[in-house]
Amino acid sequence: MTTTLYVPCDASALSLGAEATAKAIIAEAQRRGVEIRLVRNGTRGMLWLEPMVEVETAAGRVAYGPVKARDVAGLFDAGFLQGGTHALALGALADHPYLKNQERLTFARVGITDPLSLDDYLVHGGYRGLPAALAMAAPAIVQEVTDSGLRGRGGAAFPAGIKWKTVLGAEGSQKYIVCNADEGDSGTYSDRMIMEGDPFVLIEGMTIAGMAVGATRGYIYLRCEYPHAYRTLNQAIATAYARNYLGQDVLGSKRAFDLEVRLGAGAYICGEETSLLESLEGKRGQIRFKPPLPAIKGLFGQPTVINNVITYASVPIILDRGAPFYKEYGMGRSRGTLPFQLTGNIKHGGLIEKAFGITLRELLYDYGGGSYSGRPIRAVQVGGPLGAYIPASQFDAVLDYEEFAKIGGMVGHGGIVVFDDTVDMAAQARYAMEFCAVESCGKCTPCRIGSTRGVEVIDRLVAGEQKQEVLLRDLCETMLAGSLCALGGMTPFPVLSALNHFPEDFRNVNRP
Ligand SMILES: Cc1cc2nc3c(=O)[nH]c(=O)nc-3n(C[C@H](O)[C@H](O)[C@H](O)COP(=O)(O)O)c2cc1C
Ligand code: SF4
């Protein structure tokens, strides 16, 4: 009898030795004359347990982790192919506390299926949204997305349906669907996890977007630091073409949708939508003035939908299950779910897909298990490098776009970076200014010059020149009000939150 095993091919698992684990399993099975089928799945998102090996047993799928190559022979000895007991045994993952209460809508298949098997995608509920969309008129598809309450998951949380409606109504000889897969925010990897773990859901979502607005061509703009995602996406796209899910006659509908992946060189600013479009056109990644909006004049001057990976990946289930189903999740104006990503100094780092409304504390302690170091968590940065630092006194804040903004926070792309009480918050503020100086596209003065001056001012403040605080606050105000885009315009958030919540770190007292 052939036993099926799963070893993730996700970059996070690979970085922890999954390739060596997979090879050791194959070699050990051959040595023992045991027949196995090894599937390379995506990660379940419990990253501290990677490389995680799952075995299909008579009683269902059971997991072991973290499994290093050196553990493999012992696992065979323990009869793990039949679900045998072992120190690394995790049992059935459906019952695991980390996964049990998650609300996996967008990530429903990630870690479960073979990412490159279209048949596996179909068996697990894939390609149900696209046929539904093909049976609808374009405005009805847009209306369904609007009614679901889906907002952009890339950071700005703009309603997806309104953007799509603008493109649907815009005049243009060729409309485009562009996917922002630049994923530059610190502590984020949900886009990568989808692209490596369930690429067809992104392809399906983008195809639905094409049908909704009348666009026949799509591009995935992917950062070059994601080589595994690049390979996976290209193979999945080739399969989708071969099986008629992409091309000139999508599923026999006589409607066309072509899709390709373009690699970016990896500049943070190329994640901003207008810079991304410049880069996609082969130019230097620099901000464009708005208006015109990309929805009116985007790629090559044509009407363009530009959305984040998770935004598109959330669309198939909306078209399959209907807007009311999706809208059931969440609170206020933040509907549906968000894949939160726990990173930094955290015991159980990983991906947690939950409806909006969960608190930071629940994520940090119920899921994350507290800090990795075992020391108290002092601050977290939510929403990438432009997000505010949240002190422990605000960990009961609810993660909903509007509620979180009330405490000066930004949910953004859902990345949460954790720091324990050894963190130097003045150094973090300096880092925010330095990051802005390095990544600035140089188009406007408050950001280009202000960020460099900001580093100098923080250095002087920390050195004991207390009056520099007024200057730093003035500078932040100028950057906030005068920058052309959110890189310069939001860098003051991490800087000022550090200064306001942790003023003691900016004083020269007690420093060596
Ligand atoms: C400096 C900067 C960097 C950004 N980086 C990204 C990114 O890496 N990925 C992303 O999806 N959106 C990023 N955005 C947001 C995009 O400009 C844009 O809002 C997004 O692509 C729209 O898609 P959505 O509505 O689906 O979120 C960035 C914005 C700024 C200002
Ligand atoms: S704020 Fe910075 S990144 Fe944005 S346009 Fe100005 S110089 Fe460029």
Side-chain angles (χ1 to χ4, degrees):
M1 200 188 83
T2 307
T3 308
T4 303
L5 290 108
Y6 297 82
V7 177
C9 61
D10 179 277
S12 61
L14 292 176
S15 71
L16 290 161
E19 199 59 39
T21 303
K23 282 188 178 138
I25 290 174
I26 292 168
E28 194 62 28
Q30 270 169 0
R31 206 172 65 78
R32 296 178 187 232
V34 182
E35 262 191 52
I36 59 161
R37 184 175 78 99
L38 193 74
V39 177
R40 304 304 299 269
N41 57 338
T43 173
R44 296 278 195 147
M46 299 192 282
L47 301 181
W48 77 100
L49 294 172
E50 293 292 358
M52 183 191 285
V53 178
E54 285 183 76
V55 186
E56 196 87 64
T57 70
R61 230 158 120 162
V62 294
Y64 297 83
V67 178
K68 299 283 185 196
R70 61 173 178 271
D71 302 316
V72 168
L75 281 164
F76 272 89
D77 288 343
F80 87 132
L81 293 184
Q82 291 78 41
T85 37
H86 187 277
L88 299 177
L90 300 165
L93 290 183
D95 303 328
H96 195 284
Y98 207 78
L99 285 176
K100 183 165 77 179
N101 295 320
Q102 289 200 33
E103 289 151 308
R104 290 211 166 180
L105 304 184
T106 311
F107 282 74
R109 278 170 297 268
V110 177
I112 294 173
T113 54
D114 174 350
L116 289 172
S117 165
L118 181 52
D119 291 325
D120 218 4
Y121 183 66
L122 293 168
V123 166
H124 288 86
Y127 276 124
R128 287 192 195 152
L130 179 61
L134 287 170
M136 294 159 79
I141 307 174
V142 173
Q143 194 59 48
E144 198 69 24
V145 172
T146 308
D147 292 347
S148 75
L150 177 67
R151 291 163 73 178
R153 302 296 193 228
F158 188 80
I162 294 179
K163 191 181 283 187
W164 291 21
K165 192 172 179 189
T166 310
V167 177
L168 175 64
E171 292 290 330
S173 52
Q174 168 71 61
K175 296 180 185 178
Y176 294 104
I177 303 297
V178 173
C179 173
N180 190 339
D182 201 51
E183 194 159 59
D185 280 356
S186 39
T188 61
Y189 46 84
S190 59
D191 293 354
R192 186 182 54 69
M193 253 180 78
I194 279 284
M195 292 184 288
E196 292 176 358
D198 194 16
F200 290 111
V201 79
L202 173 60
I203 297 169
E204 185 179 358
M206 290 183 73
T207 312
I208 293 170
M211 301 304 153
V213 305
T216 54
R217 184 154 267 291
Y219 294 97
I220 300 172
Y221 182 90
L222 178 73
R223 60 184 302 139
C224 66
E225 293 96 331
Y226 282 178
H228 305 97
Y230 184 61
R231 273 201 298 274
T232 305
L233 282 172
N234 276 320
Q235 285 183 42
I237 287 171
T239 305
Y241 268 107
R243 302 269 295 264
N244 231 16
Y245 287 90
L246 286 172
Q248 288 309 298
D249 184 19
V250 173
L251 290 181
S253 65
K254 308 263 182 296
R255 295 160 77 180
F257 191 68
D258 285 306
L259 182 60
E260 65 182 281
V261 186
R262 289 293 172 94
L263 281 182
Y268 184 68
I269 201 59
C270 286
E272 193 282 339
E273 57 186 15
T274 62
S275 280
L276 186 156
L277 294 175
E278 287 285 291
S279 174
L280 203 49
E281 290 180 9
K283 301 174 197 151
R284 177 178 161 186
Q286 238 188 353
I287 301 292
R288 288 180 185 171
F289 289 103
K290 283 195 270 193
L293 293 169
I296 308 286
K297 259 177 169 278
L299 188 63
F300 303 114
Q302 300 293 333
T304 302
V305 172
I306 174 160
N307 276 132
N308 171 257
V309 172
I310 304 298
T311 316
Y312 288 124
S314 303
V315 167
I317 197 165
I318 293 170
L319 268 293
D320 174 25
R321 307 288 296 271
F325 166 82
Y326 192 76
K327 208 175 177 173
E328 272 289 298
Y329 294 84
M331 62 177 282
R333 288 178 48 224
S334 306
R335 309 311 312 182
T337 59
L338 189 72
F340 296 99
Q341 302 126 86
L342 278 181
T343 57
N345 195 333
I346 190 84
K347 197 167 169 195
H348 297 153
L351 182 131
I352 301 134
E353 183 176 352
K354 282 294 280 182
F356 292 94
I358 189 168
T359 66
L360 258 181
R361 191 178 301 283
E362 287 172 279
L363 286 171
L364 294 173
Y365 294 99
D366 297 352
Y367 285 92
S371 73
Y372 179 77
S373 62
R375 301 179 67 92
I377 298 177
R378 186 172 185 223
V380 296
Q381 189 178 31
V382 185
L386 310 177
Y389 286 98
I390 311 293
S393 59
Q394 293 183 331
F395 285 174
D396 289 316
V398 167
L399 289 150
D400 154 287
Y401 293 120
E402 279 68 36
E403 287 301 310
F404 206 57
K406 284 184 190 158
I407 62 155
M410 176 177 67
V411 175
H413 191 49
I416 300 173
V417 184
V418 182
F419 300 85
D420 74 8
D421 62 350
T422 60
V423 67
D424 175 348
M425 293 306 295
Q428 293 304 122
R430 186 187 193 279
Y431 176 70
M433 280 292 189
E434 199 184 6
F435 180 82
C436 182
V438 170
E439 298 291 341
S440 170
C441 84
K443 192 152 180 165
C444 69
T445 316
C447 168
R448 187 183 67 243
I449 308 285
S451 52
T452 299
R453 293 290 90 86
V455 173
E456 296 163 2
V457 172
I458 293 173
D459 282 344
R460 289 201 292 270
L461 176 59
V462 171
E465 287 185 44
Q466 290 300 313
K467 62 178 188 297
Q468 296 291 324
E469 184 177 331
V470 179
L471 202 57
L472 181 58
R473 287 186 186 278
D474 269 2
L475 177 62
C476 283
E477 216 166 280
T478 305
M479 289 175 72
L480 245 157
S483 298
L484 189 55
C485 85
L487 178 52
M490 289 175 64
T491 292
F493 292 149
V495 174
L496 290 176
S497 60
L499 189 60
N500 292 335
H501 295 305
F502 308 95
E504 62 278 15
D505 287 22
F506 290 79
R507 293 187 198 118
N508 198 22
V509 286
N510 297 332
R511 279 177 191 277

